[in-house]
Structure formats: C-alpha cells, structure tokens
Amino acid sequence: MKSQEMLICCLMLFLATECSHNRSKIHVNGGDKHQHPEGKLKTGKIQEKCLGPCLSTSNCSQPCAQHFRGEIGFTCHQNKWQKSTETCTSLSVETLFKDFNSALRLSVAAASIPLHVLDFRAPEPMNSVAQGIRRNCPIDFACIIDVVKSSETTSGNIAFIVELLRNISTDLSDNINREKMKSYSEVANHILDRAAISNWAFIPDKNTSSDFLQSMNLFARQLHVHDNSEDIVDELFIQAKAFRINNNTSEKKFNFSTSINNTTEGIIGMIEIPRQELWKLPPNASQAITIAFPTLGAILKEVHLQNASLPRPVNGLVFSVILPERLQQVLLTFEKINKSQNAKAQCVGWHSRKRSWDKNVCETTSEIMNKVKCQCNYTNMVMSFSILMSPTSINNKVLDYITCIGLSISIFSLILCLIIEATVWTRVVVTEISYMRHVCIVNIAVSLLIANVWFIINSKFHKKARDSNWCVVLTFFSHLFYLSLFFWMFFKALLIIYGILFVFHRMLKSRMMAIGFAIGYGCPLVIAGTTVAITVPEKGYMRPNACWLNWDNTKALLAFAIPALVIVAVNLVVVLVVAINTQRPSIGSSKSQDLAIIMRISKNVAILTPLLGLTWGFGIATLIEGTSPVFHIIFALLNAFQGFFILLFGTIMDHKIRDALRMRISSLKGRSRAAENASLSPTNGSKLMNR
C-alpha cells in the first residue's frame, strides 16, 4: 500500500512538472508569453540605461525589469537619450487563466484516488482569450478581472489589455448581457486610470487608443437591453446607460456626472435625442446606448500629440453613442474640464476610419459660460464626440482677405518709405534729435517689412515645414523681428519723452545710436533666443498646426504677448503726455485758436499712433473668450495696414520731408534742364559737326 502511495506521489510530481513545462510553452496569437507565476508584479527600477553621447539619428534599446517581457526603446534628441517606446508586459493568456488550471487544483486527497481514475495527460493549451473565457467564465467574463486589475499599467500591459478587449468584442460578442458589459467595462476602466495616461504615449502602435474606442463601441452595440431604463456601468472612468426607445418615445435625454482629478465636483454632460429623430423609428422597440469617458480625451491627445489631426486638447467628456441606424442626429451638452482656458470650443466627432477628430460632423450651437452645446451627425463611422479647446485663430474669409490685401499694401508702402528716407536723408538729419528720429523710422520700417515677409513665408510653407527644423527657423525670425518692431517703437517713445523733459540737454549721437540698437535688436534677440533655448528641448516651442509660438503646452506665446502689450501701454502714456504738453490756449483765446490746438493734438495723436504701435492694443480684445468677430476685423484692419499708416503719417505728412523731397525733385529737374541746354548749345553743336 505504501509503495502504491509513493508511486502516486511520484506521478503527481511528474504531472506538476509537465504542467509547468506546458505553461511555459503557451502562446497568444503567435507571441511568446513566459511569465512569473507569483502574485502582482512590479516593474521596479530600470536595470540598464542607454548612456553616453548620442547622434540625432541614433536609437537604443534595453530589456525590461525582472519578470517583464519586452524592451524599452530610446531615441536621441538634443544629444540626450529620451524614452520613445515601451513593450514591457507581464500579462499573457496563461496568467489570465492560471487559477483555473485543473492541474493546479490537485490536493493531497488525490493520493486516495485510484490510479485508473487519474488522468495524467497535460491540460489542453489555451491558444486564445476566447477559448479561455468559454472554458472558465462564459456567463459573465469575471475570471479575467482580478488578474487584469492586479497588473501594472505599463505600456506593454495596456497594449495587451486593448488587444484582449478587441478579441472579446469580435469573438465573444454573442448574447451580451448586463453582467458581461460590466466585466468588460471593469477591465477597460483599469487602463483608463489617470495614472496610466502618460504610458499610452509609449505604445509603439499609435492607433491603440483608437482601437480601444472602436472595440468598446463594437461590444456595446451587441448589448441587449431588457428594461425601459438601465444604468449599465458606473465605474470611475466609464459610465454607460441604455434605454428602450420607439417612435412614441418622448424626447430622450442621458445625463452623466463624473469626477475629474479625484475632486468631489463632477463634470456633467448630457446626450439628447430630438423628438423629430425618434419619429423615424419603427413601432417595435429599439435601444439607445451611451458611454461617457472622462479621461479618454487626454489619452487620445497623448497618443496623437504630434498628429496634425489633433492640434488642440480635448476639454470635456468623450461620449460614445450607439443608436438605431435610422437616427442620424444627436444633441450633446459638454461642461468644460479646464474652465480657465480663454478659447472658443469646437465640437468634433471621432472618425474611426480616419482615426482623427472630424470637425465637419458637428456644429457648435451655443457656448454660455462653461457649457457648450453641439449638434452632431451620427454615422457608423462617427459614434464618439467631444469638444476641442485652445487659443486659436478664427477661420474667416473676410479676415483672410483683409490680411492678404493689407500686407501687400503694407510691404509696398514700407519699401516706398525707405526709398523716400534714402532720397531726403542728407536734408532732414541736421540735428542729433532729427537724426535719431529718422533712424527710428527707418528701423521700424525695416523690422515691420522683414516681419511681414516672414509672416507671408510662414503662411505659405508652414504645412510643409511643420515637421522640420525650418519651422523652428520661421518661428524664430518671425518672433525676433516682430519684437524688434515693438522695441524700436519703444525707443522712439523714449526719444519723445527725452525731448520733452530735457529740452536744453543733448546726448552724443554715438551714445544714442548704441542705446537705440541695444534696445531695438539686443532685447528682442535675448528674448527670442531664451524662448528657443527653454522650449525647444521640451518640444513646446511651436504649435502643432502652425509655425508660431506654442500656447497649449509651454505658453511660449507669452514671450511675445507680454513685451508687446507692456510697450503698447508705455507708448500710450507717452502719447497722453504729448497731448497734455501741446500748447494750451491763452486767456481770452478765440474759438479758432481752440480749434487749431485741437487739430494739432489730433494730428500728433494720428502721427504717433502707428509709429508707436498703439493699434496693437486691440489685440487684448481678441484674447477674451467670446469676443465678437468685429474686434478681430478691426484688429486686422489697423495692423495689416500699419506699413501704409507709417508711410502716410510718418513720412508724407511730415512737412520737412515734403519740403526736402520737393527740393530734391526740383534739383533733379534743374540738372535735367541744364544737361538739355548744354546739349543744344552752339559749341556742343560744332563739336558734333567736327566729328
């Protein structure tokens, strides 16, 4: 008897060894999935790291931490290694169903089982998730939940879970009930956690988040709703509701409220099916299913951060809507997550085939305070919707025409201004103050001319140059010369104050030139260079959709807006000082004298406004949320034509320049007549006859 028990123990030991051996050979769709069998795994610290200098085209990889399969990829950026991809995973089909392996459930009681009852064959390998679920938990899919929730949300594990959900939605989509939907959503909720958002960006397949959304919609479409109203899922990062509807149903609304950033205050959203849409349904009951994702917008942003299809971050819930085919329109209400953004909202739908946000399927019907209402067209390709937010330019054909025509006239006017200054230079720069005044005008014209040219190059070629170093060059020089324009206008304002306060004191011309060029070009170069140095390594210098200073990520645009608006404010004070110091009427002056003084003040203000850039002050109105397009048009009119105004008020209306230009033209005419008379003189005629 003892020998028989020893034989059974030996056979059990052999069986356990064979089971362990077979587990190490299980595959998931062709991928080797060796896994440590014990408990929750920790990624730990990176054992090795790509070190040393690197070249811009270099790549490096290293193995994952212990108990994880895969590798971590690095790319060289700014001569430093930066993490680019990660495939570290601890999950496999084997780990999902290890607790349900019958061989692991053998106990010491097996010693009393007769030999002929024991089956010494190894368990049949499970080659797919569907096979394992059908064998172990076909009713509610609950057998995979604990293993998934105990895993770390590494990039590799996220990709595995997305593939797991995709396989379930395609292979196990029959007879989907409430329990299966809850289990499916509980697995999905694990990888939608806020702590996992950043790891989505390192998944090599950048379409993973789109695949996840499509799998969720596909699985939810197969859900059977039995009651009139059901709250199907109420997870932290997924909420789902379902209703039975028909052509007699009144206007149907789905209300959601979910917490963001672990705060008690919830972000609300609402989906509404209009009554006129419900009339399209047949008399027999249909169903409507809606899902709300509070973090999916941030995940889509992370994955498509460098993609032009998503130039702006999502600032609301992401709604998925599953409706009967006859329904084509849905109304949505979003509450802004980030309420501090001074930007208009744009309603969009996620196009599953294009894998990008489509602005053509939705229309923003209203935007009041922090709530945005959208009207969207529902199709099989567009089932998910949200709002995009960021400071952005307004797409308006009137503004485009004004900008194009204004810049053309401005460039021509500035070239003409420089030609006139060169023509009359020697006649108008007779004193130090007049010399510096015209130096300022010339440099203001040059800076604005170059800035306008860079603006045109930027608008024509930014789509081609956006992904190259040329975009950095375009942004840098546009930033530099627009700043130079403002600092030269600031220096001109300082000269005006200097002339008013120090009437009998004169500064050396060389000293004034040094100060002028230090302010006019030195300060802009420092600001522009510092902005590049700080933001380029973080990939936050340019906007994703244009070669101009970034706003969403690094607020690099403030490096232009703050100096410009401060200078405009200072120059406005200077204009007020000039207006106050204009000669006042004496006691008993006549109305004609008063009128003359008013005209003189108006003329001074008109001349100084374009030269000191006061029209840029209207830019403040364009930054305010909900500003009327009228302010944008006024801003474009005043600033696109700034070159023309400089020519008109700074050059043509200056009587000294007009007098010098008139004298120059008269002298040229005099020389022409003298030459003509000399050619017709008798002496010259005899010389011609002798030849």
Side-chain angles (χ1 to χ4, degrees):
M1 184 67 182
K2 291 183 179 180
S3 61
Q4 183 179 2
E5 289 178 356
M6 292 179 61
L7 177 62
I8 293 175
C9 291
C10 292
L11 289 173
M12 288 182 62
L13 180 62
F14 174 77
L15 175 61
T17 305
E18 284 298 305
C19 291
S20 175
H21 179 68
N22 278 285
R23 277 203 308 274
S24 67
K25 294 183 178 180
I26 293 177
H27 291 72
V28 181
N29 296 331
D32 190 11
K33 303 297 180 183
H34 296 297
Q35 178 59 40
H36 191 280
E38 296 295 328
K40 181 177 179 180
L41 301 175
K42 298 290 184 182
T43 56
K45 295 183 179 179
I46 297 175
Q47 297 175 344
E48 299 178 5
K49 187 174 182 180
C50 298
L51 301 174
C54 60
L55 302 176
S56 58
T57 57
S58 300
N59 293 310
C60 179
S61 63
Q62 66 181 41
C64 300
Q66 189 178 5
H67 306 313
F68 281 78
R69 301 175 310 281
E71 63 181 14
I72 303 173
F74 294 84
T75 57
C76 187
H77 181 73
Q78 299 292 324
N79 297 326
K80 295 180 180 179
W81 292 113
Q82 289 189 357
K83 182 179 174 180
S84 58
T85 59
E86 179 195 313
T87 59
C88 300
T89 179
S90 61
L91 293 173
S92 66
V93 171
E94 178 189 6
T95 58
L96 287 177
F97 305 106
K98 65 180 180 180
D99 292 336
F100 295 87
N101 193 323
S102 58
L104 295 180
R105 295 185 176 181
L106 288 174
S107 64
V108 179
S112 62
I113 302 175
L115 282 173
H116 66 275
V117 176
L118 289 174
D119 184 0
F120 297 108
R121 292 175 298 174
E124 181 184 354
M126 289 174 290
N127 296 318
S128 69
V129 170
Q131 182 183 359
I133 291 177
R134 288 193 184 101
R135 180 185 302 176
N136 298 298
C137 51
I139 298 177
D140 57 3
F141 301 167
C143 58
I144 63 174
I145 294 177
D146 291 339
V147 177
V148 169
K149 292 176 68 174
S150 65
S151 65
E152 291 192 48
T153 52
T154 62
S155 301
N157 280 344
I158 292 174
F160 179 89
I161 294 172
V162 170
E163 183 66 17
L164 166 68
L165 295 172
R166 190 182 70 83
N167 289 339
I168 293 175
S169 64
T170 55
D171 299 336
L172 298 172
S173 59
D174 52 329
N175 300 320
I176 303 302
N177 54 29
R178 180 173 181 171
E179 288 70 26
K180 291 181 179 179
M181 184 67 189
K182 290 185 69 174
S183 298
Y184 190 92
S185 300
E186 197 169 348
V187 171
N189 184 76
H190 180 64
I191 58 175
L192 292 176
D193 193 288
R194 290 177 57 252
I197 291 177
S198 60
N199 291 335
W200 284 79
F202 300 113
I203 300 175
D205 185 0
K206 299 306 177 183
N207 292 321
T208 302
S209 62
S210 179
D211 292 339
F212 165 78
L213 182 58
Q214 190 169 356
S215 298
M216 284 292 305
N217 293 338
L218 180 62
F219 189 81
R221 183 185 288 276
Q222 306 302 321
L223 175 65
H224 296 288
V225 181
H226 300 290
D227 301 329
N228 291 332
S229 175
E230 287 191 42
D231 290 339
I232 305 296
V233 178
D234 191 17
E235 296 290 334
L236 187 59
F237 304 106
I238 299 179
Q239 291 184 10
K241 299 177 185 291
F243 290 89
R244 300 290 290 177
I245 56 175
N246 55 40
N247 58 358
N248 291 323
T249 305
S250 60
E251 191 174 62
K252 182 58 65 179
K253 296 181 180 179
F254 301 81
N255 294 295
F256 292 91
S257 178
T258 182
S259 177
I260 301 293
N261 299 329
N262 296 327
T263 60
T264 56
E265 182 182 359
I267 298 297
I268 65 172
M270 185 176 69
I271 303 172
E272 181 179 348
I273 305 174
R275 183 69 186 91
Q276 59 269 25
E277 287 292 309
L278 292 170
W279 285 339
K280 301 177 182 178
L281 294 175
N284 55 317
S286 302
Q287 61 184 27
I289 302 168
T290 60
I291 310 173
F293 304 93
T295 57
L296 185 57
I299 290 171
L300 289 169
K301 173 193 173 184
E302 287 290 335
V303 174
H304 295 269
L305 192 60
Q306 303 300 325
N307 193 324
S309 69
L310 187 61
R312 298 178 295 174
V314 173
N315 197 29
L317 299 175
V318 174
F319 286 136
S320 281
V321 185
I322 295 93
L323 300 175
E325 293 183 358
R326 296 190 182 187
L327 302 188
Q328 299 176 347
Q329 194 174 90
V330 63
L331 305 178
L332 306 107
T333 301
F334 298 93
E335 181 182 0
K336 298 177 183 178
I337 295 175
N338 188 346
K339 299 175 176 60
S340 65
Q341 293 191 25
N342 295 320
K344 295 186 72 64
Q346 185 176 44
C347 303
V348 290
W350 184 263
H351 198 291
S352 59
R353 182 177 297 171
K354 297 178 181 178
R355 300 179 185 270
S356 63
W357 291 110
D358 189 348
K359 64 181 181 181
N360 297 320
V361 299
C362 292
E363 178 184 356
T364 304
T365 57
S366 69
E367 183 175 357
I368 303 174
M369 298 297 291
N370 295 316
K371 291 185 180 180
V372 182
K373 292 187 176 182
C374 309
Q375 178 177 309
C376 298
N377 295 323
Y378 170 84
T379 66
N380 288 333
M381 289 292 102
V382 183
M383 302 166 60
S384 303
F385 308 92
S386 190
I387 52 174
L388 301 182
M389 306 288 294
S390 78
T392 183
S393 58
I394 294 180
N395 294 325
N396 190 305
K397 290 185 178 181
V398 176
L399 288 176
D400 293 339
Y401 288 133
I402 291 174
T403 302
C404 183
I405 296 172
L407 287 179
S408 300
I409 295 175
S410 182
I411 290 174
F412 174 80
S413 301
L414 291 170
I415 294 174
L416 184 58
C417 175
L418 293 175
I419 293 174
I420 293 175
E421 285 288 339
T423 303
V424 301
W425 184 264
T426 56
R427 297 180 182 272
V428 294
V429 291
V430 293
T431 64
E432 288 82 4
I433 290 295
S434 63
Y435 181 88
M436 291 308 303
R437 174 180 176 274
H438 286 278
V439 166
C440 285
I441 292 177
V442 168
N443 282 280
I444 288 172
V446 169
S447 297
L448 182 57
L449 177 62
I450 297 175
N452 286 343
V453 171
W454 276 108
F455 182 90
I456 292 175
I457 295 174
N458 196 335
S459 62
K460 294 295 183 183
F461 298 104
H462 78 271
K463 291 183 180 180
K464 297 179 181 179
R466 184 167 54 220
D467 296 327
S468 68
N469 292 330
W470 280 107
C471 193
V472 177
V473 174
L474 288 171
T475 305
F476 175 79
F477 281 106
S478 296
H479 185 201
L480 174 65
F481 284 103
Y482 273 118
L483 283 178
S484 296
L485 168 67
F486 280 94
F487 276 94
W488 273 109
M489 292 188 297
F490 173 66
F491 181 66
K492 181 171 177 59
L494 294 180
L495 284 179
I496 294 173
I497 290 294
Y498 177 80
I500 293 175
L501 299 180
F502 304 98
V503 179
F504 301 104
H505 184 270
R506 291 292 178 266
M507 189 183 298
L508 292 176
K509 184 190 300 184
S510 58
R511 183 176 298 178
M512 286 193 293
M513 287 287 290
I515 295 174
F517 278 86
I519 293 176
Y521 294 114
C523 292
L525 187 60
V526 170
I527 295 174
T530 303
T531 306
V532 171
I534 294 176
T535 58
V536 166
E538 300 177 4
K539 297 183 179 179
Y541 183 56
M542 304 163 297
R543 299 187 179 194
N545 62 329
C547 295
W548 183 235
L549 299 173
N550 185 285
W551 172 260
D552 295 329
N553 299 329
T554 60
K555 301 296 186 289
L557 182 61
L558 294 177
F560 171 74
I562 292 177
L565 293 177
V566 169
I567 289 173
V568 168
V570 172
N571 291 359
L572 178 60
V573 174
V574 172
V575 172
L576 294 177
V577 171
V578 171
I580 293 172
N581 282 271
T582 302
Q583 185 178 358
R584 298 180 179 180
S586 58
I587 299 176
S589 60
S590 62
K591 291 184 179 180
S592 60
Q593 290 176 327
D594 293 342
L595 182 61
I597 292 174
I598 293 174
M599 293 297 294
R600 189 182 303 115
I601 294 175
S602 301
K603 180 180 178 181
N604 290 338
V605 172
I607 291 174
L608 293 176
T609 295
L611 291 176
L612 299 185
L614 301 186
T615 55
W616 287 84
F618 281 90
I620 299 176
T622 63
L623 297 177
I624 300 174
E625 183 178 357
T627 302
S628 171
V630 174
F631 288 97
H632 292 270
I633 293 174
I634 294 174
F635 179 77
L637 281 171
L638 293 175
N639 294 286
F641 289 89
Q642 187 178 6
F644 171 76
F645 294 139
I646 290 174
L647 173 66
L648 178 63
F649 296 112
T651 302
I652 296 177
M653 291 187 64
D654 189 336
H655 66 90
K656 293 182 180 179
I657 292 180
R658 291 201 305 271
D659 294 340
L661 190 61
R662 192 180 298 111
M663 293 176 61
R664 179 68 174 170
I665 294 174
S666 298
S667 64
L668 290 176
K669 288 182 178 179
R671 292 179 183 178
S672 177
R673 289 175 182 174
E676 184 180 355
N677 292 334
S679 64
L680 297 176
S681 63
T683 305
N684 194 37
S686 62
K687 290 180 180 179
L688 292 173
M689 292 297 294
N690 292 333
R691 291 180 183 178

